Amino acid sequence: MTALLARIVNPVVWRIPGHGARKLYSFSLAEHGSMLDLKAAARLTASPERQTLYIRHMLDETRHAQMFALRSAELRAEEGAQSFGFPKADYENLFERLGELRFLAFVHRGEKRGRAQFETYRNWFARRDDNKTRALFDAIVRDEKRHETYTRDILVEMAGSEAAARRELARAAMWEAWRNWRRFGRFGAEKAYFAVMTALYAMLAPFMVVAAFARPARTGWTPPSDEATSGARPIR
């Protein structure tokens, strides 16, 4: 689905001024976030063999984040703008929250989805004769294929069978959908609050102006209420 959407929007998305650099930087952030999760996986797994694989994967993700950030900075420089800098993604504690089996299912889904998406971008830039960006995606796609393969192999091994691995992938898909729904809900709530408050202020503004003219602010000294009502005592 993601790859299909990418093919549909490619003719528009990559031609919007400044959008290409922002999109590449968003990929850099995603790769950096994956690096943080794999770093935790390498530290927490009980298997030395899987630890080695996680470390290799972590190093690949680190390199990908740098590659996307540098290409984004180059495009920004061509537009006369400053780079977005090196990405600093949030750490989600996915290994700890999901456990190793579910974590592997989640990572496998992400690698498979990313590989298919990046292949569409590679083909798009190849047709546009942008060999520099095509080569970037081509190199990353090769790594993604390797990540996709090893995570599936370990997933089947840990789950005990191909059928059990498919069940874990389905559970990971449901968890990811729930996570995305919650994120969308928080984002939507923030936007809705801003829109409602802006509309409320806009509606109340005329009444506030009328009130200000009807009861102008008093300046200077104002006597206490008892003196104002009884008057000042005469001096004897």
Side-chain angles (χ1 to χ4, degrees):
M1 182 62 70
T2 304
L4 176 61
L5 180 62
R7 284 195 293 270
I8 293 173
V9 302
N10 273 342
V12 177
V13 167
W14 293 105
R15 289 174 175 168
I16 298 175
H19 187 75
R22 287 192 296 271
K23 194 167 185 66
L24 291 175
Y25 185 74
S26 72
F27 294 154
S28 180
L29 277 174
E31 297 288 330
H32 188 253
S34 297
M35 182 276 291
L36 295 175
D37 285 315
L38 287 159
K39 183 178 180 179
R43 185 180 71 252
L44 298 172
T45 184
S47 167
E49 292 78 10
R50 293 196 295 271
Q51 181 184 58
T52 300
L53 292 169
Y54 293 152
I55 290 174
R56 182 180 181 184
H57 192 166
M58 177 192 73
L59 294 174
D60 287 342
E61 301 294 64
T62 302
R63 189 176 69 257
H64 297 171
Q66 294 172 341
M67 292 166 66
F68 278 130
L70 287 173
R71 184 60 182 143
S72 171
E74 289 174 349
L75 294 179
R76 293 277 291 175
E78 292 174 3
E79 299 163 358
Q82 291 185 341
S83 73
F84 295 116
F86 190 80
K88 293 183 179 179
D90 294 329
Y91 175 50
E92 297 189 73
N93 300 91
L94 291 180
F95 190 93
E96 298 94 318
R97 291 164 61 188
L98 299 177
E100 189 164 11
L101 187 60
R102 190 69 51 80
F103 173 77
L104 275 167
F106 175 83
V107 171
H108 174 75
R109 281 176 45 80
E111 295 297 320
K112 183 177 181 179
R113 183 171 57 243
R115 184 263 309 160
Q117 184 180 3
F118 290 163
E119 283 177 342
T120 65
Y121 297 148
R122 177 195 61 192
N123 297 338
W124 163 260
F125 286 109
R127 290 192 297 271
R128 299 284 295 176
D129 293 326
D130 184 345
N131 292 323
K132 194 166 189 178
T133 310
R134 176 204 54 79
L136 166 69
F137 280 108
D138 198 32
I140 292 176
V141 162
R142 287 196 296 270
D143 290 338
E144 301 290 85
K145 287 180 178 178
R146 188 177 68 255
H147 302 158
E148 184 182 351
T149 300
Y150 98 83
T151 51
R152 183 59 184 259
D153 291 343
I154 299 178
L155 179 63
V156 172
E157 178 186 344
M158 291 187 66
S161 68
E162 183 68 34
R166 286 196 296 269
R167 286 193 294 270
E168 285 300 327
L169 288 168
R171 293 188 185 104
M174 288 188 290
W175 179 85
E176 188 174 6
W178 171 244
R179 183 185 68 154
N180 291 339
W181 173 256
R182 291 181 62 188
R183 283 181 170 180
F184 177 78
R186 287 195 296 269
F187 177 79
E190 291 174 358
K191 295 298 182 183
Y193 176 80
F194 177 78
V196 169
M197 294 306 296
T198 301
L200 184 61
Y201 283 133
M203 288 188 295
L204 292 178
F207 298 100
M208 294 172 65
V209 173
V210 171
F213 279 106
R215 190 174 62 185
R218 302 176 68 176
T219 59
W221 176 80
T222 301
S225 57
D226 57 341
E227 293 186 15
T229 54
S230 61
R233 295 180 180 180
I235 300 175
R236 296 181 183 275

